[in-house]
Amino acid sequence: MTNSIVAKVFMGMEIAQDPKVTESFIFCTRDFGQMLTAGLHTKSSWKLFSVNTKYGYLDGVLNPLHKHVQTLVTASTPVILERRRCEAECQEKGIPYERPVDILQILLDESDKYGFVDLEDICGHIMLTVLAAVHSTVDACTNMLYFFAAYPQYAETLYNEQRDILDEQAQEREKERAKLVAKANEQGVAAPEFVGTDLDPKKDLEVCTSTVRKMVYFDSYLREVFRYRSVKFNLTHKARKTVVLSNGQYISKGSKVIINMHSAHYNPELGEDVNEFKPFKYVGQTAKSVLKPATDMITFGMGAHACPGRFLAISEMKILGTLFLQRYSRVAFKDPEATRRTLTEFIGEPQTQPLILTSRHHTCTGEVTSVGEVTSVSATKTTTTTATSTTTTTTTASSSGSFSASVESSSATVAAA
C-alpha cells in the first residue's frame, strides 16, 4: 500500500497503475541492499552511481537497479508523449493546459534547471529518491501497527476522530453542491452534473492530505510513537570543521558524531510520565506536531537538515492508519507475551510475531502464514497476519477485498468505508 501511494505521487496516476512500476518501487530497495553487500558501498562507487546517467554501467552488478530504471522509462514514455500531445492541442486552441501534479512532471519541466540529460536520467534520480523514501516509511508504518496492537484502548478515539472529520467534510461538500444548484435555478439553466468532478458525491468520504491535517489526535499519537520507540543511537554526522559546543565539548574536524536519541526522547525534564506511552498528550499543542522537529523529538533530525520527506511519510502513515481503523476494530498480537519484546527490538528488524486483525464489518478474512508475503487465504473469523519491516502487503489482507486507494494531484486519497 505504501509503495502504491509513493508510486502515484512520484510517477502520476496513469504510470502507477502499471503493476511493474509498483513492483519496482517495492523491490528496488532489496536489490540496492544486495548491491551494497556485493562490495559497492564505498563513497566513490555511490557517488559514481548517483551521478551517472546510465545506471547499468557496471554490468552484472548494477543491472538489478538498471532494470528498475528501465521499467520506469518504458512505462512513462507513452504517458509523457500523450501529455505533450494534450499540451500542444491546448496551445492550438488557446486554452490553458492543466499540468499533471506529480514529481515526474515537475522534473520534466525543470530538466534544464537540474541538468537532466534524458528521461532515463530523470527516472534514475526518481529511483534514488525511492530508495530513501520507501523502506523507512514501511518500517514506520509497521511500527505503528505494533502500537495499535500493544495499546488497543486508543484505537476508538482515533477512529471516532476520523469519522467526525469525514462527516463534517461530507456536509460541507453537500452544502457546496446545493449552492451551485440554487445558483443554476436562479439563472434558469440546467443544474450542474457533479459525477466525475471534484464535487462527485462518491468522494464525500475520501481522505486526502487536507483531511489528515485535521487529525490532531492521530498527529499526537504518531509523535508519541516516534518518541517512545526510537533507535537509541542514530543520525550520524561528520564534522566538516572543528567545532566547540556551548558546553565546552570539543569536536575535531573529521570526527563522526552520533546522536543519542534515547536520551533526548526520555529526558527526565520532559515530565514524570516520560517512561509511559501517552499518545494524546500533545493534542492542542501546535508546536508539538509530529512534523515539527524539536529537541524532545528528533526522529526527523533538526534545523536545515531535517528530513524533507517527513511530510509525505506522515501523510502516508495517517492514510494507512486510517485504512486499518476503518477496516479493523482491533489489532492484537497473537502472543501477548511477545508485546514488550517486539516494541523494544531494533526498528526495521523483521519480526515473526503475527498480528490478529478483527474486522469491523465482516467475518471471513484471509490468513498470512509467512513473513513478507501472503501464502494462503482461508475463511476465518479474524485475519491473522504477520507485519514485518520488509513490506506492508502482509498487513492489508481484507475480508472485503482490496482497499480503495488513489492519489489526486499530489495528495494521497483513500475511500472511506
Side-chain angles (χ1 to χ4, degrees):
M1 181 62 70
T2 302
N3 299 291
S4 176
I5 294 174
V6 172
K8 291 166 184 173
V9 172
F10 276 82
M11 305 300 296
M13 289 290 292
E14 314 100 306
I15 301 172
Q17 291 176 356
D18 188 332
K20 292 182 179 180
V21 171
T22 305
E23 289 177 4
S24 285
F25 275 54
I26 293 173
F27 294 112
C28 67
T29 302
R30 179 201 64 183
D31 293 342
F32 180 65
Q34 293 175 347
M35 183 189 77
L36 293 182
T37 57
L40 289 178
H41 59 279
T42 63
K43 179 179 178 181
S44 58
S45 295
W46 169 252
K47 183 177 180 181
L48 284 172
F49 170 71
S50 64
V51 301
N52 194 284
T53 60
K54 304 299 180 184
Y55 292 91
Y57 68 97
L58 292 181
D59 187 44
V61 180
L62 287 184
N63 271 343
L65 288 178
H66 182 238
K67 174 188 68 177
H68 295 308
V69 173
Q70 290 304 312
T71 296
L72 299 188
V73 172
T74 301
S76 60
T77 296
V79 175
I80 293 173
L81 291 176
E82 176 61 18
R83 290 182 181 182
R84 289 177 175 173
R85 186 195 68 78
C86 292
E87 182 177 10
E89 182 178 330
C90 288
Q91 289 178 348
E92 290 179 1
K93 296 180 178 180
I95 59 177
Y97 172 64
E98 186 175 345
R99 311 192 74 77
V101 184
D102 51 61
I103 292 178
L104 173 63
Q105 186 64 51
I106 294 173
L107 296 183
L108 287 169
D109 293 341
E110 301 291 341
S111 58
D112 291 339
K113 174 182 177 181
Y114 295 114
F116 294 129
V117 177
D118 50 24
L119 179 58
E120 184 181 29
D121 193 17
I122 292 176
C123 291
H125 281 79
I126 287 178
M127 190 57 66
L128 287 175
T129 306
V130 170
L131 289 174
V134 172
H135 79 280
S136 57
T137 304
V138 171
D139 285 346
C141 289
T142 304
N143 189 40
M144 175 182 65
L145 293 185
Y146 287 148
F147 275 85
F148 283 170
Y151 300 95
Q153 65 269 34
Y154 302 116
E156 283 307 299
T157 299
L158 299 176
Y159 178 71
N160 291 334
E161 177 186 45
Q162 65 165 275
R163 297 308 303 177
D164 291 342
I165 292 173
L166 290 173
D167 288 343
E168 181 181 353
Q169 173 179 289
Q171 293 173 12
E172 291 176 352
R173 289 168 59 84
E174 178 59 33
K175 290 180 181 179
E176 184 64 24
R177 287 193 293 267
K179 289 181 181 179
L180 293 175
V181 171
K183 183 177 180 180
N185 291 336
E186 291 176 1
Q187 297 174 348
V189 298
E193 290 288 340
F194 299 112
V195 176
T197 70
D198 289 340
L199 286 176
D200 191 328
K202 292 182 179 180
K203 298 181 180 181
D204 284 356
L205 294 179
E206 285 187 345
V207 181
C208 61
T209 52
S210 61
T211 309
V212 297
R213 288 194 194 104
K214 300 176 183 178
M215 296 181 180
V216 293
Y217 281 86
F218 208 162
D219 190 273
S220 176
Y221 187 95
L222 292 180
R223 192 182 198 277
E224 181 70 348
V225 165
F226 281 119
R227 183 200 70 83
Y228 195 77
R229 187 189 184 201
S230 57
V231 179
K232 292 185 177 180
F233 300 101
N234 202 359
L235 302 176
T236 303
H237 290 70
K238 183 177 181 180
R240 301 176 65 179
K241 63 180 181 179
T242 299
V243 177
V244 179
L245 302 181
S246 59
N247 63 355
Q249 177 68 48
Y250 180 87
I251 302 176
S252 60
K253 179 180 179 180
S255 298
K256 289 186 177 180
V257 179
I258 302 177
I259 308 300
N260 186 342
M261 296 178 63
H262 185 272
S263 176
H265 291 175
Y266 284 82
N267 189 335
E269 296 180 2
L270 298 179
E272 296 180 356
D273 60 352
V274 69
N275 292 313
E276 301 177 32
F277 180 70
K278 293 190 173 182
F280 304 135
K281 63 183 180 182
Y282 306 113
V283 173
Q285 303 181 53
T286 306
K288 295 293 185 180
S289 168
V290 67
L291 292 171
K292 295 184 177 181
T295 55
D296 60 343
M297 216 293 284
I298 57 176
T299 301
F300 293 110
M302 289 188 66
H305 299 286
C307 175
R310 65 187 184 277
F311 302 97
L312 174 61
I314 294 301
S315 291
E316 290 172 346
M317 292 184 69
K318 287 182 177 180
I319 289 171
L320 286 171
T322 297
L323 283 173
F324 270 86
L325 293 171
Q326 288 175 356
R327 298 290 182 174
Y328 302 110
S329 60
R330 181 178 175 82
V331 184
F333 287 106
K334 187 173 184 179
D335 178 13
E337 298 298 324
T339 301
R340 179 173 177 79
R341 182 178 70 251
T342 302
L343 294 184
T344 54
E345 289 186 350
F346 184 78
I347 296 177
E349 192 70 23
Q351 301 290 325
T352 58
Q353 174 61 218
L355 295 177
I356 307 299
L357 309 180
T358 304
S359 175
R360 288 186 184 275
H361 312 291
H362 303 275
T363 57
C364 291
T365 57
E367 181 176 349
V368 178
T369 55
S370 70
V371 176
E373 58 183 1
V374 178
T375 57
S376 67
V377 176
S378 60
T380 58
K381 291 185 178 181
T382 56
T383 299
T384 303
T385 182
T386 303
T388 74
S389 62
T390 54
T391 175
T392 55
T393 57
T394 59
T395 58
T396 57
S398 170
S399 59
S400 58
S402 60
F403 293 134
S404 173
S406 64
V407 174
E408 296 183 352
S409 298
S410 60
S411 301
T413 308
V414 297

